[in-house]
Amino acid sequence: MKEKRGAERQTETFFVLTVDEFCEFLNPRKMGNLSWKKLELGFVLIYAAFFYASFIQRSLHLSHDYAGRLYGLRKGWLAGRFNDISDPQWRSFRENLPILTIVMGSFVTIANFLRYQYGMKGRGMSLLWTILSLCYLVYLHGACVAFIFAIASANYFISKTFVESRYYLGILWSFNVAFLVLNRVYEGYPFSLFGQRLAFLDNYRGTFRWHICFNFVVLRMISFGWDYYAAFNRHPFDLKRHMQRCEVCSSGKTCYHALQEKGLHIEKYSFCMYMCYLIYAPLYISGPIVSFNAFAAQLEMPQKSYSFLRICFYGLRWFIAFLLMELITHFFYYNAFAKSGLWSQLSPFQIFIVAYGVINFMWLKFFLIWRYFRFWSLVSGVETPENMPRCISNCHDLETFWKSWHASYNKWLVRYMYIPLGGSKRKLLNIWVIFTFVAIWHDLEWKLVAWAWLTCIFLIPEIVVKSFAKAFKATSALGEFLNHELSAMSGAVTISCLMIANLVGYVAGPTGIKLLISRMTEKEARLVLATIFCSFYVGVKLMFHIHDMRQKV
């Protein structure tokens, strides 16, 4: 699509604007009468430079002063500093990275060698990857692989048996949501539940809890069932019209959207291809999420959107991001502050530093995990949607934030939930169903359901305001200026709401809400809160300027 180029630029998260683009934007011939924007841009750049310089300096002092009292610090390799590995997910990924990379290299070498040596395509590659992935799963889950195959086989049977029924989609969703809940309720089903003869198998449950990974398998089972239903009923896709709007497809290649929407021949929806899709090693643990149609098509014909050099550059960028994470965890102990509970002893501005640092740490952590597995998938010939296409500091509204945080999951929700529920015509109602499912999908906890419903409450005024903003068109310089200011203030409010949620969710926790409120309502905190809000306001304006520069260049 025409948005493809813009989406690719958004993935350049380290340098949001090139020097050439910046100089071209400041060209007076380009700017016309918008001189106030140039003055504003200069101000926000200076403010941002001072803000981040102050933030970094205070973060360094904070980490140095409290290093001896923080949990989760280990002796590091950089400049004799401690390393913050207090986050269990990041610690597990980082410690297993060497063996994971060896597995990746071995699997890719075997699969690509056999593909090109013997001309293996869809059926042969699906069998090969099923065998390789099964070895991977046995190491991860041990005897619990039997649960995965049993539930997956039942879902395949339902898809093949009831596809002609008018109640098929309801049966498909009910089955998958039911097991999503049951897996959590019974904590992955102890084998002793099925008789004492099988109880000994509980000693061979592998190194990783299978029902945690199975959440992603549920998404894939629904994707297979839905895509099979669409292909069986021959839902049309206007490829010619799509090619007129898509730069990738018009150039002779095939974009991900076209691979996803084009139905496959019914024979491609085989059990072997289905199982290969569910347990495909590069994407099994954490995604990104790819639809069945797109996966099966690329197993038949490897992706061509990414050249060999581009894949190498993608890997290089990942390695640079990994070094950045190592730099952050060696010098800034944000997550350790949250885990240690020492935030209550900090000043209001120091609490903000920790909260802002934690959310950036979380973003970079998921950025590295998701892109590592996407890189593995790319070198294996399968392109997936990109997670984290936009930097966390370049999102000024909730809708943009959720579209960027787990982008492939968002695309899955749009395709399999949002559009079938009525799309934009019923948007205010759809978000309640979708976010409730998202909460249940993550875990069975009331606090997640409460988080989902609070998110919906925050989204409703944003959706309403956006609908009015689209209808309103500024016809004068004053109208454009007022619209610009109101949008910036609205963005600052949204970021403030996200920061509050981050403080409660990752720093203070539910038990520390009362203490957090009391600290933030102190007299000395008022000036700090006002400064932080002004900083968010200026930050939103900087995001607007970056967007304008990309539009004009």
Side-chain angles (χ1 to χ4, degrees):
M1 294 184 292
K2 288 186 177 179
E3 293 85 2
K4 182 72 174 180
R5 184 178 299 172
E8 288 178 353
R9 283 186 172 182
Q10 286 181 358
T11 61
E12 301 297 327
T13 54
F14 302 110
F15 304 101
V16 294
L17 194 68
T18 64
V19 175
D20 291 339
E21 288 175 334
F22 180 73
C23 294
E24 184 70 13
F25 178 75
L26 293 181
N27 190 329
R29 291 178 297 178
K30 291 275 186 181
M31 292 297 295
N33 296 323
L34 299 179
S35 57
W36 65 272
K37 281 196 172 183
K38 293 170 64 178
L39 294 173
E40 183 182 76
L41 176 59
F43 169 76
V44 298
L45 287 174
I46 293 172
Y47 187 95
F50 277 103
F51 174 82
Y52 280 107
S54 175
F55 185 88
I56 291 171
Q57 182 186 27
R58 288 173 179 246
S59 296
L60 286 170
H61 284 300
L62 197 61
S63 298
H64 177 269
D65 294 341
Y66 285 85
R69 302 168 59 188
L70 297 174
Y71 302 136
L73 300 185
R74 299 291 185 272
K75 186 176 181 181
W77 59 270
L78 187 59
R81 305 267 309 181
F82 287 110
N83 188 17
D84 181 359
I85 54 173
S86 57
D87 183 85
Q89 193 175 30
W90 172 248
R91 182 172 64 250
S92 176
F93 176 75
R94 185 177 180 271
E95 290 176 353
N96 288 288
L97 196 56
I99 186 65
L100 196 59
T101 304
I102 292 173
V103 172
M104 176 181 69
S106 303
F107 282 17
V108 168
T109 300
I110 294 171
N112 287 346
F113 173 78
L114 293 177
R115 181 199 293 272
Y116 294 112
Q117 184 69 22
Y118 299 101
M120 297 175 67
K121 292 190 176 181
R123 182 177 298 179
M125 289 305 298
S126 65
L127 180 60
L128 174 61
W129 270 112
T130 300
I131 295 171
L132 292 174
S133 301
L134 185 58
C135 297
Y136 186 57
L137 260 66
V138 169
Y139 169 76
L140 290 175
H141 308 313
C144 294
V145 170
F147 294 128
I148 298 173
F149 271 80
I151 299 172
S153 299
N155 182 76
Y156 183 80
F157 174 79
I158 289 173
S159 299
K160 290 292 183 176
T161 304
F162 297 100
V163 70
E164 297 185 67
S165 170
R166 59 184 297 186
Y167 304 109
Y168 169 73
L169 294 179
I171 296 171
L172 176 71
W173 272 96
S174 298
F175 175 84
N176 282 277
V177 172
F179 271 101
L180 193 65
V181 173
L182 289 172
N183 291 349
R184 288 288 184 161
V185 170
Y186 291 97
E187 287 294 321
Y189 314 106
F191 282 97
S192 58
L193 188 67
F194 305 96
Q196 288 303 313
R197 291 183 178 181
L198 299 176
F200 75 96
L201 292 175
D202 286 322
N203 298 319
Y204 305 97
R205 298 185 70 91
T207 60
F208 205 89
R209 291 179 296 170
W210 74 273
H211 58 285
I212 303 299
C213 293
F214 199 79
N215 285 13
F216 285 95
V217 177
V218 166
L219 300 183
R220 297 183 191 113
M221 291 197 300
I222 293 173
S223 176
F224 171 83
W226 195 284
D227 288 358
Y228 177 62
Y229 174 79
F232 190 87
N233 291 278
R234 298 181 180 179
H235 288 183
F237 173 63
D238 194 341
L239 182 60
K240 290 184 179 179
R241 183 181 178 184
H242 170 77
M243 291 182 67
Q244 293 174 355
R245 299 178 298 163
C246 178
E247 293 183 0
V248 176
C249 292
S250 59
S251 68
K253 300 178 181 179
T254 305
C255 73
Y256 176 83
H257 182 76
L259 290 173
Q260 174 180 267
E261 297 299 328
K262 285 195 304 183
L264 303 170
H265 193 277
I266 293 298
E267 293 180 355
K268 298 296 181 182
Y269 297 87
S270 64
F271 184 75
C272 185
M273 183 68 75
Y274 165 73
M275 289 306 304
C276 177
Y277 170 60
L278 296 189
I279 64 173
Y280 181 60
L283 305 177
Y284 175 74
I285 291 180
S286 64
I289 302 162
V290 59
S291 70
F292 176 82
N293 283 348
F295 175 82
Q298 293 180 93
L299 217 59
E300 182 75 26
M301 184 65 65
Q303 66 84 25
K304 295 182 179 179
S305 299
Y306 281 71
S307 65
F308 176 77
L309 289 177
R310 190 178 173 193
I311 293 175
C312 291
F313 181 65
Y314 189 89
L316 177 62
R317 284 176 50 214
W318 181 91
F319 182 69
I320 294 172
F322 179 79
L323 293 179
L324 176 62
M325 174 62 107
E326 289 293 290
L327 187 69
I328 290 173
T329 55
H330 276 80
F331 286 89
F332 309 108
Y333 307 142
Y334 302 123
N335 199 70
F337 269 101
K339 294 291 184 181
S340 302
L342 293 180
W343 64 270
S344 59
Q345 303 176 23
L346 305 179
S347 68
F349 188 71
Q350 289 174 330
I351 293 174
F352 162 74
I353 288 175
V354 171
Y356 186 70
V358 167
I359 198 170
N360 278 273
F361 165 80
M362 297 290 289
W363 179 86
L364 188 55
K365 176 187 75 171
F366 286 117
F367 175 94
L368 287 164
I369 293 174
W370 278 325
R371 294 208 175 188
Y372 179 88
F373 290 112
R374 185 173 187 261
F375 173 75
W376 183 357
S377 183
L378 280 172
V379 295
S380 302
V382 177
E383 179 191 2
T384 72
E386 182 76 275
N387 284 334
M388 303 296 199
R390 185 186 292 236
C391 179
I392 186 67
S393 298
N394 194 21
C395 299
H396 58 83
D397 59 66
L398 287 171
E399 190 173 5
T400 303
F401 175 81
W402 292 119
K403 284 182 178 179
S404 299
W405 184 266
H406 197 168
S408 66
Y409 187 27
N410 179 265
K411 291 179 184 294
W412 186 96
L413 291 169
V414 169
R415 176 171 169 78
Y416 299 109
M417 290 192 72
Y418 180 70
I419 294 176
L421 288 172
S424 58
K425 295 179 181 179
R426 300 177 181 176
K427 192 171 187 177
L428 292 176
L429 295 176
N430 291 345
I431 58 174
W432 293 91
V433 179
I434 291 171
F435 274 96
T436 301
F437 172 78
V438 170
I440 295 172
W441 181 80
H442 276 91
D443 207 346
L444 289 180
E445 295 184 15
W446 279 112
K447 67 178 182 180
L448 286 174
V449 176
W451 159 83
W453 291 346
L454 280 173
T455 302
C456 293
I457 292 172
F458 288 145
L459 270 172
I460 287 173
E462 180 177 299
I463 292 170
V464 174
V465 169
K466 280 187 175 181
S467 63
F468 279 111
K470 288 181 180 179
F472 173 76
K473 294 182 179 179
T475 56
S476 63
L478 178 61
E480 183 181 352
F481 176 79
L482 290 175
N483 185 52
H484 183 78
E485 293 299 307
L486 290 173
S487 299
M489 291 188 68
S490 175
V493 171
T494 300
I495 295 173
S496 298
C497 292
L498 287 171
M499 284 301 302
I500 292 170
N502 178 55
L503 272 168
V504 174
Y506 296 108
V507 179
T511 58
I513 294 177
K514 288 185 179 180
L515 179 59
L516 179 64
I517 292 174
S518 66
R519 293 300 308 277
M520 289 302 172
T521 52
E522 294 174 358
K523 187 175 180 180
E524 65 171 299
R526 296 172 188 173
L527 179 61
V528 172
L529 293 175
T531 303
I532 292 171
F533 183 82
C534 290
S535 299
F536 290 156
Y537 169 77
V538 172
V540 172
K541 286 196 169 187
L542 181 58
M543 296 181 211
F544 288 165
H545 283 289
I546 292 172
H547 179 267
D548 289 343
M549 292 174 191
R550 294 204 179 283
Q551 294 295 318
K552 290 180 179 295
V553 174

